[in-house]
């Protein structure tokens, strides 16, 4: 069992790490730089890079990574080790673990990049607001959001492939921006709530952290359940 | 020694291009004649557990291959498209799969082909050759699913491969697909014809004599002097029947006998003795297209017969009688 989980970790790393991971990281950092420039130009609210990290960069990164690292349903079914008798479920969980690890590290890296920008090049207008926000809160929001997005995209990929992931990201952007009860099942709303210190549908911010962890755990359980043994 | 009979059941399986496939396969050899577009590759994928049916069930002793890793461990398979294990050297892959099958220490050394640095450096035929050797080396499989194993190139002769497959069929359900009819004949066993996703023929229904294992085989010989060759062949004991039509095919001779190898040897001896030059030699059996055409002809004939029988049984209605219920008026 352990060796097949390790095999899943290795295969996910091989699929994601070659050129895709550095390229996407570079794209995310570029996106944050652009957000910083927009913020400096005065046409946006303060703390835009933080919002972009949680609301745009992380979902898109998870969208791409889930497809590469966890693989499609047919690639899981045809996986060589599972074909010769290893547990497909353990292998898939191994791949998902690597996806979560990479997403967590990316979330921390992007948070670090944002904090470093703010420290090195203070924005003319948003410096005070940015200084008021603690880096820990940004890191917590990014990590929890990444933990919620990873398995959710993996599950959507397993369910309906690219269409499933696309539908999830569109629904997350549309419904996750709402304020009522409809925003409760979407990571975007909780991630921004943790970042900005207010709750979703009247809940306290710590409830959003709990909701993100619960959403992630639920998606992991559903993902493992849906992969055939 | 008692022979345990297990059963692999495909129950109303829909998985394109297979359409509502129903098969009950007991322990033994089952040869399915058909090409990939007929669903041969999909059938092997289903039996090997790398594909789940869209509808219906594939069951072996209460377990489904796609959801039971214990059953897949007891399954030896050769797929149409062997991907190998990317990122793993073939020798490591071989050792791992062999050790995965049994807890005993690995004694089966990988073949020479497995010394390649990666699967990426092997082409499809080589990957299939490796996978076939791995499948045939399985010590005690419950299910064997092989896609066109006799078309895989390799050092092992076809007859040895066929012998090993027959040996495995003594204790396992062996499903082999063949795209060439002479391969199906060489393998023997129960022969099914798969056509456009459905089983067009199944035992013990009518089957072309040219394909049925154990029945005489006919060879088609093209040569420069069929009469001289015919005179020589008439003395050979293994030749049961010789046919020559000087008007329609003046350079062609057809001979029939119980054993293909004996017939070929007798032909070579006769050609040498009669100093006849043989241009081509091949089995005068149907090809896959011919088989499908024959199946279609049989089906059409059966349909017509059934239709005419029904029409004969039905009494013509008298002018005053009412229309039968449920029958739409024209």
């Amino acid at each position: 069992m352990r060796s097949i989980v390790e095999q899943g970790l290795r295969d996910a790393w091989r699929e994601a790490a070659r050129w895709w991971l550095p390229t996407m990281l570079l794209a995310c950092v570029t996106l944050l730089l652009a957000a910083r420039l927009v913020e400096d130009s005065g046409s946006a609210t303060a703390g835009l890079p933080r919002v972009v990290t949680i609301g745009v960069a992380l979902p898109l990164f998870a969208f791409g990574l889930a497809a590469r690292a966890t693989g499609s349903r047919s690639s899981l079914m045809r996986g060589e080790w599972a074909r010769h008798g290893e547990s497909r479920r353990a292998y898939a969980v191994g791949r998902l673990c690597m996806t979560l690890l990479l997403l967590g590290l990316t979330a921390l890296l992007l948070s670090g990049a944002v904090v470093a920008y703010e420290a090195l090049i203070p924005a003319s207008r948003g410096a005070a607001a940015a200084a008021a926000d603690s880096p820990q809160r940004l890191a917590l929001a990014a990590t929890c959001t990444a933990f919620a997005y990873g398995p959710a995209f993996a599950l959507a990929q397993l369910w309906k492939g690219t269409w499933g992931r696309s539908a999830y990201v569109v629904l997350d952007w549309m419904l996750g921006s709402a304020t009522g009860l409809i925003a409760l099942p979407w990571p975007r709303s909780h991630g921004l709530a943790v970042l900005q210190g207010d709750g979703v549908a009247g809940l306290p911010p710590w409830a959003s952290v709990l909701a993100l962890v619960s959403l992630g755990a639920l998606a992991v359980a559903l993902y493992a359940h849906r992969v055939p043994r | 020694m008692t022979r345990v009979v297990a059963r692999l059941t495909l129950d109303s399986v829909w998985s394109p291009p297979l359409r509502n496939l129903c098969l009950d396969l007991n322990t033994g050899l089952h040869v399915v004649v058909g090409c990939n577009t007929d669903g041969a590759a999909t059938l092997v994928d289903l039996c090997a557990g790398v594909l789940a049916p869209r509808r219906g069930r594939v069951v072996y002793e209460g377990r489904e291959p796609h959801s039971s890793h214990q059953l897949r461990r007891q399954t030896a398979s050769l797929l149409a498209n062997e991907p190998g294990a990317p990122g793993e050297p073939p020798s490591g892959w071989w050792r791992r799969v062999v050790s995965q099958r049994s807890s005993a220490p690995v004694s089966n050394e990988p073949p020479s082909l497995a010394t390649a640095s990666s699967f990426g450096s092997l082409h499809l035929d080589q990957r299939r050759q490796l996978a076939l050797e791995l499948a045939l080396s399985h010590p005690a499989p419950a299910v064997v699913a092989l896609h066109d194993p006799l078309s895989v190139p390799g050092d092992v002769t076809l007859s040895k491969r066929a012998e090993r497959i027959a040996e495995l069929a003594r204790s396992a359900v062996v499903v082999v697909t063949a795209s060439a009819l002479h391969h199906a004949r060489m393998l023997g066993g129960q022969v099914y014809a798969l056509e456009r996703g459905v089983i067009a023929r199944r035992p013990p229904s009518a089957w072309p004599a040219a394909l049925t294992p154990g029945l005489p085989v006919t060879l088609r010989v093209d040569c420069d002097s069929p009469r001289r060759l015919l005179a020589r062949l008439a003395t050979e004991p293994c030749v049961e029947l010789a046919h020559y039509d000087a008007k329609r095919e003046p350079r062609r001779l057809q001979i029939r006998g119980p054993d293909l190898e004996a017939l070929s040897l007798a032909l070579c001896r006769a050609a040498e003795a009669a100093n006849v030059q043989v241009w081509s030699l091949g089995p005068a059996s149907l090809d896959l297209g011919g088989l499908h055409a024959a199946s279609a002809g049989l089906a059409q004939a059966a349909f017509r017969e059934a239709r005419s029988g029904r029409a004969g049984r039905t009494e013509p209605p008298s002018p005053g009688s009412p229309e039968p219920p449920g029958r739409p008026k024209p």
Side-chain angles (χ1 to χ4, degrees):
Chain A
M1 175 72 94
R2 191 180 157 197
S3 71
I4 192 64
V5 174
E6 282 174 10
Q7 184 69 43
L9 288 166
R10 274 206 299 271
D11 283 356
W13 172 253
R14 190 172 43 77
E15 289 289 334
R18 267 189 198 156
W19 57 270
W20 190 89
L21 198 62
T23 311
M24 281 305 288
L25 281 175
L26 196 65
C28 287
V29 171
T30 313
L31 186 69
L32 295 185
L33 266 176
R36 186 71 174 167
L37 289 176
V38 172
E39 185 188 27
D40 272 351
S41 70
S43 58
T45 53
L48 184 64
R50 292 174 177 238
V51 175
V52 167
T53 304
I54 303 292
V56 181
L58 271 177
L60 288 183
F61 189 84
F63 178 87
L65 186 67
R68 293 195 74 82
T70 60
S72 64
R73 187 181 179 85
S74 73
S75 72
L76 279 178
M77 289 298 288
R78 290 183 166 274
E80 194 61 17
W81 308 117
R83 174 186 160 197
H84 290 292
E86 292 283 14
S87 167
R88 198 176 273 136
R89 199 168 280 176
Y91 176 73
V93 166
R95 290 188 77 146
L96 184 61
C97 285
M98 177 53 77
T99 310
L100 285 178
L101 186 68
L102 289 175
L103 267 173
L105 288 175
T106 306
L108 288 177
L109 190 76
L110 292 181
S111 314
V114 170
V115 172
Y117 286 155
E118 288 167 356
L120 294 175
I121 318 156
S124 54
R125 204 163 58 87
D133 287 337
S134 66
Q136 290 90 338
R137 178 182 287 179
L138 175 63
L140 177 70
T143 316
C144 289
T145 311
F147 179 72
Y149 272 126
F153 278 121
L155 183 64
Q157 168 76 17
L158 190 68
W159 179 52
K160 282 285 174 190
T162 309
W163 285 106
R165 279 183 301 133
S166 306
Y168 186 82
V169 81
V170 168
L171 286 174
D172 180 58
W173 273 342
M174 284 168 60
L175 304 179
S177 309
T179 49
L181 283 175
I182 203 166
L184 274 178
W186 306 103
R188 179 186 166 87
S189 58
H190 294 291
L192 292 177
V194 174
L195 182 70
Q196 289 159 352
D198 42 306
V200 180
L203 296 173
W206 60 264
S208 285
V209 174
L210 201 63
L212 284 171
V213 174
S214 307
L215 283 174
L218 182 68
V220 168
L222 283 175
Y223 178 80
H225 178 71
R226 276 194 68 88
V227 174
R229 277 176 187 275
Chain B
M1 190 176 139
T2 53
R3 186 179 167 182
V4 180
V5 176
R7 178 177 287 186
L8 177 71
T9 306
L10 287 92
D11 182 17
S12 308
V13 168
W14 288 80
S15 187
L18 296 179
R19 296 176 291 148
N20 200 20
L21 189 73
C22 297
L23 277 175
D24 260 338
L25 308 173
N26 289 335
T27 300
L29 177 57
H30 306 271
V31 180
V32 179
V33 181
C35 56
N36 284 352
T37 51
D38 292 324
T42 311
L43 177 65
V44 171
D45 287 355
L46 288 168
C47 295
V50 299
L51 183 69
R54 194 172 284 183
R55 261 193 281 162
R57 289 184 81 198
V58 181
V59 183
Y60 175 84
E61 300 293 303
R63 292 178 293 173
E64 292 182 287
H66 78 273
S67 61
S68 164
H69 64 277
Q70 290 97 343
L71 178 56
R72 286 199 302 276
R73 195 164 288 188
Q74 295 174 283
T75 300
S77 58
L78 169 69
L79 308 181
N81 186 12
E82 279 293 340
E88 195 81 20
S91 55
W93 164 80
W94 177 282
R95 286 203 179 89
R96 186 168 163 180
V97 174
V98 169
S99 64
Q100 198 172 298
R101 283 173 179 168
S102 63
S103 52
V106 179
S107 58
N108 201 344
E109 275 302 304
S112 57
L113 205 57
T115 53
S117 59
S118 71
F119 275 98
S121 62
L122 300 176
H123 55 73
L124 179 61
D125 276 343
Q126 289 174 320
R127 292 200 300 269
R128 271 173 57 78
Q129 191 183 334
L130 260 180
L132 178 62
E133 286 191 40
L134 188 67
L136 295 184
S137 70
H138 201 300
V143 177
V144 180
L146 306 173
H147 180 272
D148 225 352
L150 298 192
S151 70
V152 177
D155 308 327
V156 186
T157 57
L158 295 189
S159 54
K160 276 197 173 174
R161 264 185 212 166
E163 275 170 24
R164 176 62 185 149
I165 291 170
E167 195 183 327
L168 290 174
R170 283 185 211 131
S171 57
V173 179
V174 179
V175 183
V176 181
T177 65
S179 58
L181 297 196
H182 60 279
H183 286 166
R185 191 189 166 91
M186 184 181 279
L187 286 163
Q190 302 261 38
V191 187
Y192 302 75
L194 185 67
E195 187 182 348
R196 283 180 290 177
V198 292
I199 295 290
R201 287 166 183 252
R202 63 175 73 215
S205 65
W207 188 253
L211 191 66
T212 311
L215 288 181
V217 63
T218 306
L219 276 182
R220 192 186 57 233
V221 189
D222 289 327
C223 59
D224 59 350
S225 179
R227 283 177 195 278
R228 269 210 323 266
L229 188 60
L230 191 59
R232 281 281 171 183
L233 280 171
T235 60
E236 290 286 346
C238 63
V239 179
E240 284 179 352
L241 186 79
H243 173 77
Y244 176 56
D245 188 343
K247 275 189 180 173
R248 292 180 64 189
E249 292 174 315
R251 300 287 181 199
R252 177 165 292 179
L253 188 65
Q254 290 201 4
I255 51 174
R256 199 174 78 180
D259 184 8
L260 180 67
E261 280 76 21
L263 205 60
S264 309
L265 282 172
L267 179 76
C268 292
R269 276 199 304 270
E272 197 178 359
N275 197 20
V276 172
Q277 194 178 1
V278 175
W279 296 324
S280 74
L281 173 67
S285 56
L286 293 167
D287 61 352
L288 204 55
L291 176 68
H292 286 172
S295 300
L298 278 179
Q300 200 176 16
F303 172 73
R304 281 188 180 157
E305 194 183 329
R307 196 176 166 191
S308 62
R310 201 168 52 185
R313 278 199 304 274
T314 310
E315 292 288 328
S318 58
S321 65
E323 285 277 319
R327 194 173 178 180
K329 288 187 178 181

